[in-house]
Amino acid sequence: MHGYEMIQEIAERSGGAWKPSPGSVYPTLQLLEDEGLIASASEGGKKLFSLTESGRSAADEGPDAPWEEASRGIDFEALGEIRQAGFGLMEAFGQVWKTGNKEQREKALTVINEARKKLYLILADED
């Protein structure tokens, strides 16, 4: 697999709870290759990685996969609802920002800032 495929696979296996950045994946792959735990080969302009025998042994002896830990205890139905609500909010805000006048943009910004404050007040058990 190449690095981008690994990022996508981790995101999928964790149910979207964890999607590592390229800035963390590629240096880690280089480190693992330097340690002899993975090997790389170029194919079609992409660098493909695979476990070495040492890498497979280390993986078998190691802890649970990080994506299993990242997704443990997550209510994926609620997570989907939260994402949908967040994306809907940002879509509406973006529409006001693109097509609204200055006064409408200022009102929209006030709504977003008030919503953020109200969310933190929920954690503080205040109304």
Side-chain angles (χ1 to χ4, degrees):
M1 223 183 258
H2 58 78
Y4 179 74
E5 287 175 315
M6 290 181 201
I7 292 168
Q8 297 304 312
E9 185 71 20
I10 291 168
E12 184 178 314
R13 287 187 185 196
S14 71
W18 179 38
K19 185 175 182 183
S21 70
S24 66
V25 169
Y26 290 103
T28 301
L29 290 171
Q30 185 61 55
L31 177 66
L32 292 171
E33 188 171 24
D34 292 347
E35 292 178 358
L37 298 172
I38 62 172
S40 66
S42 291
E43 184 179 295
K46 296 179 180 178
K47 197 172 188 179
L48 300 176
F49 298 91
S50 59
L51 285 171
T52 62
E53 284 188 37
S54 298
R56 187 162 306 281
S57 294
D60 290 341
E61 294 169 8
D64 287 345
W67 53 83
E68 290 174 5
E69 186 176 321
S71 63
R72 196 170 288 134
I74 292 178
D75 179 345
F76 289 104
E77 186 175 328
L79 184 62
E81 291 173 6
I82 291 166
R83 284 186 177 153
Q84 187 175 5
F87 289 142
L89 176 64
M90 290 314 297
E91 187 175 312
F93 180 75
Q95 188 67 31
V96 172
W97 204 256
K98 289 176 189 173
T99 62
N101 60 37
K102 183 179 179 183
E103 183 180 334
Q104 290 170 323
R105 289 179 185 163
E106 288 172 359
K107 284 180 182 178
L109 194 54
T110 299
V111 167
I112 293 289
N113 285 327
E114 286 176 3
R116 179 178 44 82
K117 290 175 189 174
K118 286 181 179 184
L119 289 171
Y120 281 120
L121 287 173
I122 291 170
L123 289 175
D125 288 327
E126 297 180 18
D127 291 327

